[in-house]
Amino acid sequence: MVPKLDNQLYIAYVETPLGSIKLTYNQTSVISLYFEKNTLDKHHKYIINQIFKDFEKQLSLYFKSKLKSFDLPVSPQGTDFQLTVWRALQQIPFGEVISYSHFAVRLGGKEKTRAVATAIANNPILILIPCHRVIGADGGLTGFSGGIERKKALLELERNRIDF
């Protein structure tokens, strides 16, 4: 008999310098990561497994400008196209930005800009899948589910990092 994997999902709220983050994870990977507006009165079940420990440690180092890339397994749920876009987002180097249209060209053509932007807007794992690194063609900050001020703060954090 094959042992059954634990598919139980856990939710934890982790405080960051930019506010509370809602982490959904299981025994093997991060499933979603969002900024929360209000965590009061929210009941959640979480365990401190290796995924949670690694997430907390790496996120802390990231916000201290001591981590340039995350080494955490992620399992976003989406369409094949969304998954392609989200994998490509992970290839944008730390501290760099790219416009939506240039990013769409990388994925097959400028005519895909709207579809690519929609997939980016639906990114379920903020920060780890760095959608904040995609900006408007004019250099403006647009479209971040965590809020434009948080997007700005993340980009500033990455630009002002300590080289190590």
Side-chain angles (χ1 to χ4, degrees), residues 33-50:
L33 183 65
Y34 294 101
F35 282 101
E36 280 288 308
K37 290 183 175 80
N38 184 356
T39 58
L40 297 176
D41 300 323
K42 292 192 177 185
H43 300 286
H44 56 282
K45 177 182 177 183
Y46 76 97
I47 62 164
I48 298 176
N49 63 9
Q50 196 60 49

Side-chain angles (χ1 to χ4, degrees), residues 148-164:
I148 296 301
E149 288 304 313
R150 285 188 178 121
K151 182 172 188 166
K152 180 180 177 184
L154 291 170
L155 292 174
E156 286 175 0
L157 172 80
E158 293 184 8
R159 282 191 196 116
N160 298 322
R161 72 185 187 273
I162 299 168
D163 286 328
F164 44 93

